[in-house]
Amino acid sequence: MPVLDREPSKDLGGGDGLPKLPLPALKDTLDMYLRCMKHLLTEEQFNKTQNTVKQFGAPGGVGELLQSKLVERRENKANWVYDYWLNDMYLNNRLALPVNSSPVMVFPQQHFRDPIDSLRFAAHLISGVLEYKTLLDARALPIDYARGQLAGTPLCMEQYYRLFTSYRLPGPERDTLVAQESSVMPEPEHIIVACKNQFFVLDVVINFRRLNERDLLTQLEKIVKMADSEEERLPPIGLLSSDGRTEWAESRSVLMRESTNRDSLDMIERCLCLVCLDDASGSELSDTTRAMLMLHGGGVAKHGGNRWYDKPMQFVVGADGCCGVVCEHSPFEGIVLVQCTEYLLKYMIGSPSKLVRAASVSELPAPRRLRWKCTPEIHKLLASSADKLQRLVRNLDMNVHKFCDYGKEFIKKQKMSPDAYIQVALQLTYYRCHGRPVSTYESASIRRFQEGRVDNIRSATPEALAFLKAMTDGKLSTSVEEKMEMLRGAITAQTKYTILAITGMGIDNHLLGLREIAHELKIEKPEIFKDDAYIISNQFILSTSQVPTTVEMFCCYGPVLPNGYGACYNPQSDHIIFCVSSFHESPQTCSAEFVKCLVQGLLDMRDLCNKCNSSSNPTEQRKGQTLETHTQTEKNWQSKMQQRPADLSKNQQTLPQVLVKTPEQTKVEAQTQTSTQGEPQALKNGSKS
């Protein structure tokens, strides 16, 4: 069943009429925290944690004091956790945005016969962006309504209105999410076009009139010609925005010394969005290659300098048909990226290119090249940024896999939630690769509440671990029926936690709030937040997101820890697209091996379901799929696992997340929202994914 309804907006975007995010009871959160962590800790660690938690939650203790302060905060704020969460998740994070934080959406492979075709595509895309912006400006975007669990609940629309009006400003210790307010300054009426590492101002409104598609194409042709001029070419300043946030803040302050640079930065920071016109990369464009090119641009030698990573939306149009969107994640969740992108692609299919017989603005002024004054110091900073981006390019281990043996329809026939089923499969995969469960992140939307963003679904449940052990211990004593019961138990546990998270009763935001309010009150950091368990609980070695689409495209992102995996998945009726990322520099991870184990796990789970279906209904004809014993396979995994070093990381890093959402879920998966129109066929032409 679809989990998102749309109806014309009645201006609920500001959260009017939506309830405030609830504050869970302190005891409930502490009890759930212990339950979530017990099986991820040694006995010694858990005993220490249990005592620490008991002390924190004792009557009249520090926990009760902090909880009372959060109750006050909830009274006075639209959303008691929003500022804490935004800083912790994004703005305090010092890592570079590409790969580490910015997710990307990879479009179907386009087939441009001539250079002009890619510019036509870009002009058509810009036209769609301007249509969508008109809807946003009029507050006419249909409100999202949840379906399934808590059906009919309106969802907060505030994130949509930051798509084209915000900017992430780098800071030495913390970034700032800057929102353009029309009351302060005029709405931006230009986009920035990046071409050959040069930046150009493309005014989309001239003489109070929006440019039509033919005019946009004319201007793009002028930009390409200007970018080709060798004498005019300037250094690839965009590389600076790919650096760590503290380094970029320092470089930006150096740039700001010159008035020319200040003007150029101002034009970029106030633009609607970027359109990046990339040359052909010269690579064979597999799904994996396109994903990597979208995530980091291929580094200095390719398109790494043809970006400005602080803008929320960068539309990439490659001359070789490699197209997509790079998204700065702090202003909005993945649902907004998906909904906007699907609107644009459907617009491009549904409204034919309007390049003929359109009234044109006569004598269009030429687009303006942004100028930079580069001192030797800036050249040195550019070289440093380039080196670091190149290292990131070499380090990323990406694997995009289309699993075609079955999709969500088979899972639904088992009366199971597809999202919960896939989450259990990911747990099984990691356990087979590494022999232990780890803290896992799956985003849960809390948009039912004012200014709601996300909380975390903790997928590494004790019930999941029981199933993983049964599937991997090689014992023949565990019957098929017992394994099936454990699988259903794991899925039920996942489902129950999902409901807690989407109704504002998850533990992660609450613990964050308690930690941050202690810091504000200048109380010494409570022991619970210095404990091993809390550090381990926030090391999300497995970072997962479900991002289903109704148009053929896929989302991906990098891992959030040096020894971690990013696992983004897009379940369709008869297949599932998995985008798995890790880092080559970690001796403990390998994306290809993870995918291999994932495929085997999905096949084993299917065979288990089929075996149980056959034994519970003897008259049903078997489909030729049998349950395999896992003994030999497991011996191979175990011998491989023994050669791996222990992979607990000491570094706690913030998790970039893309919203988990399920377009056609049964009952429970209402944490996520997406439109459910039929998949347009025109975009499928030639796509390999």
Side-chain angles (χ1 to χ4, degrees):
M1 126 182 359
V3 294
L4 179 134
D5 270 348
R6 313 298 295 267
E7 77 168 38
S9 174
K10 297 186 181 68
D11 201 18
L12 286 182
D16 299 346
L18 294 179
K20 284 187 174 185
L21 180 69
L23 181 67
L26 181 63
K27 184 179 186 307
D28 291 348
T29 290
L30 296 180
D31 289 348
M32 180 60 75
Y33 173 57
L34 289 174
R35 188 176 189 281
C36 287
M37 294 307 298
K38 184 175 183 179
H39 56 292
L40 302 180
L41 302 171
T42 64
E43 191 177 346
E44 186 185 347
Q45 283 174 325
F46 182 70
N47 289 338
K48 180 174 177 285
T49 297
Q50 206 169 18
N51 291 331
T52 305
V53 167
K54 188 177 178 182
Q55 187 185 353
F56 181 77
V62 69
E64 284 194 353
L65 168 67
L66 299 177
Q67 179 77 354
S68 69
K69 294 297 180 184
L70 282 183
V71 169
E72 287 175 26
R73 183 179 169 88
R74 184 177 182 272
E75 289 300 312
N76 300 325
K77 294 253 185 191
N79 186 307
W80 61 267
V81 82
Y82 178 78
D83 293 336
Y84 292 160
W85 175 90
L86 184 65
N87 288 335
D88 184 68
M89 182 71 92
Y90 296 113
L91 304 183
N92 290 342
N93 195 334
R94 301 291 83 201
L95 292 176
L97 295 185
V99 178
N100 299 304
S101 179
S102 296
V104 302
M105 195 64 76
V106 183
F107 290 177
Q109 174 68 37
Q110 302 299 310
H111 298 282
F112 302 135
R113 280 185 287 249
D114 301 304
I116 190 73
D117 290 344
S118 63
L119 298 185
R120 284 197 184 102
F121 182 91
H124 204 176
L125 184 67
I126 294 167
S127 205
V129 167
L130 300 179
E131 285 286 329
Y132 197 73
K133 181 72 166 57
T134 302
L135 282 178
L136 290 170
D137 290 345
R139 293 259 161 174
L141 200 65
I143 292 170
D144 296 347
Y145 279 82
R147 296 277 301 269
Q149 191 73 18
L150 307 179
T153 313
L155 303 173
C156 180
M157 297 294 288
E158 203 55 41
Q159 296 174 40
Y160 285 93
Y161 300 100
R162 293 194 282 263
L163 267 168
F164 301 109
T165 58
S166 57
Y167 182 80
R168 180 162 166 176
L169 186 69
E173 293 175 1
R174 174 188 288 170
D175 290 359
T176 305
L177 181 56
V178 180
Q180 312 282 349
E181 296 293 342
S182 53
S183 55
V184 179
M185 58 177 66
E187 282 283 316
E189 294 184 329
H190 68 278
I191 65 173
I192 295 294
V193 177
C195 184
K196 296 188 188 299
N197 302 332
Q198 311 293 291
F199 297 96
F200 299 87
V201 179
L202 171 55
D203 291 309
V204 292
V205 176
I206 294 178
N207 298 332
F208 307 103
R209 197 164 143 248
R210 203 175 89 187
L211 295 196
N212 61 42
E213 213 170 299
R214 187 171 67 180
D215 291 333
L216 290 169
L217 177 61
T218 300
Q219 298 295 73
L220 290 173
E221 287 181 288
K222 288 179 189 171
I223 284 170
V224 170
K225 201 169 282 185
M226 290 164 74
D228 278 335
S229 166
E230 293 285 348
E231 307 81 55
E232 297 274 335
R233 203 166 286 177
L234 297 161
I237 295 293
L239 285 172
L240 296 175
S241 73
S242 75
D243 211 330
R245 303 308 291 169
T246 299
E247 294 88 339
W248 168 214
E250 289 165 2
S251 301
R252 186 179 179 278
S253 65
V254 175
L255 281 172
M256 290 285 283
R257 293 173 195 161
E258 293 283 353
S259 61
T260 302
N261 298 341
R262 286 199 296 274
D263 291 344
S264 293
L265 285 167
D266 181 61
M267 290 308 288
I268 293 174
E269 290 165 10
R270 286 194 302 107
C271 73
L272 288 170
C273 62
L274 261 81
V275 171
C276 308
L277 303 177
D278 286 356
D279 293 336
S281 68
S283 310
E284 186 191 335
L285 292 178
S286 64
D287 288 346
T288 298
T289 302
R290 288 187 297 131
M292 290 193 292
L293 284 171
M294 217 49 62
L295 281 164
H296 51 52
V300 190
K302 293 186 178 173
H303 324 302
N306 211 41
R307 304 281 185 272
W308 200 273
Y309 283 100
D310 297 345
K311 283 305 289 185
M313 299 290 275
Q314 296 190 86
F315 297 96
V316 177
V317 179
D320 51 9
C322 181
C323 303
V325 193
V326 184
C327 155
E328 198 292 292
H329 210 344
S330 64
F332 47 78
E333 300 309 322
I335 179 60
V336 174
L337 175 63
V338 170
Q339 293 284 43
C340 173
T341 305
E342 292 200 343
Y343 175 94
L344 296 175
L345 293 181
K346 288 169 183 176
Y347 168 88
M348 292 171 76
I349 295 161
S351 68
S353 196
K354 301 183 183 89
L355 293 171
V356 232
R357 295 191 299 281
S360 177
V361 177
S362 57
E363 298 302 315
L364 285 170
R368 181 160 64 87
R369 183 196 300 265
L370 292 182
R371 302 285 173 182
W372 307 98
K373 280 197 177 171
C374 293
T375 60
E377 186 180 3
I378 290 170
H379 281 288
K380 194 176 172 185
L381 292 167
L382 274 169
S384 171
S385 298
D387 286 346
K388 279 179 266 187
L389 180 61
Q390 213 52 39
R391 180 179 166 182
L392 196 57
V393 170
R394 286 194 302 268
N395 199 5
L396 181 63
D397 178 7
M398 191 81 208
N399 192 308
V400 179
H401 179 80
K402 186 174 180 179
F403 177 80
C404 294
D405 288 83
Y406 61 92
K408 63 185 176 186
E409 288 309 315
F410 169 81
I411 303 168
K412 286 202 242 175
K413 281 177 185 169
Q414 315 310 309
K415 297 185 170 54
M416 296 175 183
S417 146
D419 181 62
Y421 181 100
I422 295 168
Q423 281 293 323
V424 173
L426 289 167
Q427 291 296 312
L428 178 58
T429 302
Y430 191 89
Y431 192 81
R432 281 179 163 174
C433 286
H434 299 274
R436 66 188 180 93
V438 286
S439 290
T440 303
Y441 192 104
E442 183 193 5
S443 302
S445 170
I446 48 174
R447 284 176 61 215
R448 287 172 174 73
F449 307 105
Q450 291 178 42
E451 295 182 13
R453 292 290 297 263
V454 296
D455 204 340
N456 177 24
I457 303 167
R458 289 193 164 265
S459 305
T461 62
E463 292 83 357
L465 181 56
F467 173 69
L468 311 183
K469 286 179 175 176
M471 291 294 280
T472 56
D473 63 10
K475 290 179 187 171
L476 298 175
S477 56
T478 312
S479 70
V480 166
E481 289 73 24
E482 287 171 318
K483 287 177 181 175
M484 192 65 188
E485 197 177 324
M486 290 177 187
L487 173 58
R488 291 199 182 277
I491 285 173
T492 301
Q494 176 77 8
T495 293
K496 282 180 178 173
Y497 200 100
T498 295
I499 293 171
L500 280 178
I502 65 176
T503 53
M505 292 292 156
I507 66 170
D508 284 69
N509 282 349
H510 191 191
L511 290 170
L512 171 67
L514 293 164
R515 188 190 81 194
E516 291 304 300
I517 202 95
H519 181 71
E520 275 183 17
L521 294 169
K522 296 183 169 53
I523 292 173
E524 185 190 349
K525 186 187 273 193
E527 202 59 40
I528 188 174
F529 301 119
K530 296 191 276 188
D531 184 43
D532 285 350
Y534 187 70
I535 295 163
I536 291 167
S537 78
N538 282 284
Q539 289 176 329
F540 295 112
I541 288 173
L542 197 49
S543 163
T544 70
S545 286
Q546 179 178 213
V547 186
T549 62
T550 65
V551 172
E552 189 174 337
M553 56 182 175
F554 59 87
C555 179
C556 54
Y557 51 82
V560 299
L561 288 172
N563 62 333
Y565 289 101
C568 191
Y569 52 98
N570 182 349
Q572 298 295 316
S573 58
D574 62 351
H575 67 275
I576 308 166
I577 299 170
F578 289 97
C579 301
V580 175
S581 60
S582 62
F583 289 123
H584 287 298
E585 286 178 8
S586 168
Q588 300 143 13
T589 58
C590 172
S591 295
E593 188 179 327
F594 190 93
V595 166
K596 187 179 172 184
C597 292
L598 175 59
V599 168
Q600 188 59 52
L602 287 165
L603 294 176
D604 290 346
M605 287 168 69
R606 177 200 65 184
D607 291 348
L608 177 63
C609 292
N610 284 338
K611 181 76 172 176
C612 281
N613 292 341
S614 298
S615 59
S616 63
N617 185 1
T619 59
E620 187 181 299
Q621 205 175 22
R622 293 187 64 179
K623 296 175 183 176
Q625 291 145 346
T626 58
L627 181 70
E628 298 171 1
T629 57
H630 304 282
T631 315
Q632 189 54 49
T633 317
E634 202 46 44
K635 279 179 186 169
N636 294 341
W637 271 313
Q638 285 168 353
S639 65
K640 202 163 194 180
M641 189 192 70
Q642 285 161 7
Q643 295 164 19
R644 293 173 176 276
D647 54 356
L648 278 175
S649 166
K650 292 178 183 174
N651 299 323
Q652 180 182 352
Q653 294 176 12
T654 314
L655 174 69
Q657 265 306 317
V658 179
L659 182 69
V660 182
K661 51 188 185 49
T662 313
E664 297 173 9
Q665 273 300 18
T666 56
K667 296 188 179 178
V668 175
E669 303 309 317
Q671 81 270 25
T672 59
Q673 315 85 31
T674 187
S675 56
T676 54
Q677 291 131 354
E679 181 174 324
Q681 293 300 308
L683 282 163
K684 296 183 74 171
N685 179 29
S687 174
K688 295 176 186 173
S689 51

